[in-house]
């Protein structure tokens, strides 16, 4: 199976139909997030990262592990411009809670609930170290689309809409 077929199967599978405490399924959430990044004119690796940011959840990883594990799995096909924002998107929530007044208030109840398991807001030292990482600001961008992509009124494009964009990013 190709990378796109393998990922497409996850989007079509039972893992994608789980709600994980949000008003939309995880599959819908990821597709909404990818569509938001695309509509914002993000470059292709960042659209892909946003679409795939919760791939670890589709593979049944826990809240604390899903960024790291998802990035690791995706790295068999994609470079760091895709995998690093995925890996760092959980940390980006902890970062934004530390540096941006008002960000915490934007989080869904479920995101607040998982925050403590993910380590809570960063300390100022942790936030400075995070900001210095390559792709940290891409991870912050993913995080903002992630937070907006929980709208039960929005029907996102289906997975095949993104297949060509993803396919062009797969390492040959
Ligand atoms: Fe998410």
């Amino acid at each position: 199976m190709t990378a796109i077929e393998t990922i497409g199967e996850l989007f079509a599978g039972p893992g994608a139909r789980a709600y994980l405490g949000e008003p939309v399924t995880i599959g819908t959430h990821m597709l909404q997030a990818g569509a938001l990044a695309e509509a914002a004119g993000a470059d292709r690796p960042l659209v892909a990262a946003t679409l795939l940011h919760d791939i670890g959840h589709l593979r049944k990883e826990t809240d604390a592990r899903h960024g790291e594990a998802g990035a690791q799995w995706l790295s068999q096909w994609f470079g760091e411009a895709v995998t690093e924002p995925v890996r760092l998107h959980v940390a980006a929530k902890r970062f934004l809670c530390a540096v941006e007044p008002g960000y915490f208030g934007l989080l869904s109840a479920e995101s607040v609930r998982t925050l403590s398991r993910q380590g809570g807001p960063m300390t100022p030292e942790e936030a400075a170290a995070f900001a210095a990482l390559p792709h940290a600001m891409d991870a912050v961008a993913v995080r903002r689309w992630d937070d907006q992509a929980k709208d039960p009124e929005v029907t996102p494009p289906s997975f095949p809409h993104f297949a060509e964009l993803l396919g062009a990013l797969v390492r040959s």
Side-chain angles (χ1 to χ4, degrees):
M1 254 195 322
T2 67
I4 307 311
E5 287 165 351
T6 304
I7 294 166
E9 258 190 13
L10 284 178
F11 272 86
R17 294 192 287 272
Y19 279 85
L20 305 182
E22 301 288 359
V24 296
T25 65
I26 188 72
T28 295
H29 163 68
M30 293 167 70
L31 292 163
Q32 280 187 10
L36 285 167
E38 188 175 50
D43 65 19
R44 292 160 74 92
L46 189 54
V47 172
T50 309
L51 172 72
L52 301 173
H53 75 279
D54 278 338
I55 199 86
H57 278 320
L58 297 192
R59 304 190 69 247
K60 305 281 168 56
E61 298 289 349
T62 59
D63 290 319
R65 282 264 309 141
H66 79 275
E68 191 77 46
Q72 178 66 37
W73 188 72
L74 290 169
S75 71
Q76 63 186 305
W77 301 301
F78 299 103
E80 290 190 351
V82 175
T83 62
E84 280 299 282
V86 173
R87 185 173 76 84
L88 295 172
H89 85 276
V90 177
K93 176 168 79 168
R94 300 180 53 227
F95 170 78
L96 283 166
C97 284
V99 303
E100 194 169 287
Y103 176 76
F104 181 83
L106 301 175
L107 292 176
S108 69
E110 182 63 13
S111 274
V112 171
R113 204 173 65 72
T114 53
L115 177 65
S116 63
R117 243 182 288 149
Q118 293 162 341
M122 287 181 174
T123 64
E125 294 73 24
E126 287 174 325
F130 174 83
L133 295 173
H135 302 292
M137 293 307 119
D138 288 339
V140 167
V142 169
R143 189 69 225 179
R144 294 191 194 280
W145 290 312
D146 180 3
D147 292 328
Q148 292 169 42
K150 300 175 177 183
D151 187 343
E153 304 297 315
V154 172
T155 303
S158 56
F159 179 78
H161 170 81
F162 296 102
E164 189 189 320
L165 178 147
L166 290 178
L169 293 167
V170 172
R171 275 195 300 253
S172 52

